[in-house]
Amino acid sequence: MNETLILALAGIAGSALGAFFFVGLWWTVRQAMASRQPALWCFCALVLRMSVALAGFYVVAGGAWQRLVACLCGFLIARSVVLRLTRPDRENRTQAVVEASRAP
């Protein structure tokens, strides 16, 4: 296989791993806020997300540092995309700031 194609596939795999990790983080925080035991919820979700991400990096890298770097780049790109997609819209942010400024 062409080395460029392999690196591109490693980047796509890294994006998928990053999407899983950061969407899972977003979902975990939202669930933990309503949970009676948020620390347990966050810890278990962290172990699951880290296990999947590390196993994915190990499989994708396959002993080649170039694939590991491509996978990491995809992971970080997914982080940026998830941050942008899960950010509250501007109206809700300004309303939260106004409400917080009225707090005692």
Side-chain angles (χ1 to χ4, degrees):
M1 237 183 183
N2 188 0
E3 186 66 25
T4 305
L5 179 61
I6 292 173
L7 292 178
L9 291 174
I12 291 170
S15 295
L17 288 170
F20 171 79
F21 186 88
F22 291 109
V23 168
L25 175 60
W26 174 77
W27 184 77
T28 299
V29 170
R30 293 179 59 88
Q31 295 298 318
M33 296 294 284
S35 175
R36 290 182 48 207
Q37 296 178 330
L40 179 64
W41 186 263
C42 290
F43 177 73
C44 291
L46 172 70
V47 169
L48 176 68
R49 286 190 330 263
M50 288 294 291
S51 298
V52 170
L54 289 175
F57 275 105
Y58 180 77
V59 169
V60 169
W65 67 270
Q66 296 91 345
R67 285 187 264 171
L68 183 63
V69 170
C71 189
L72 180 62
C73 289
F75 192 86
L76 295 175
I77 290 169
R79 177 186 179 269
S80 299
V81 170
V82 171
L83 277 175
R84 185 158 301 176
L85 292 176
T86 58
R87 182 178 300 157
D89 59 348
R90 194 161 188 70
E91 292 176 6
N92 289 341
R93 278 190 284 162
T94 56
Q95 182 179 358
V97 169
V98 169
E99 291 174 5
S101 66
R102 295 182 188 163

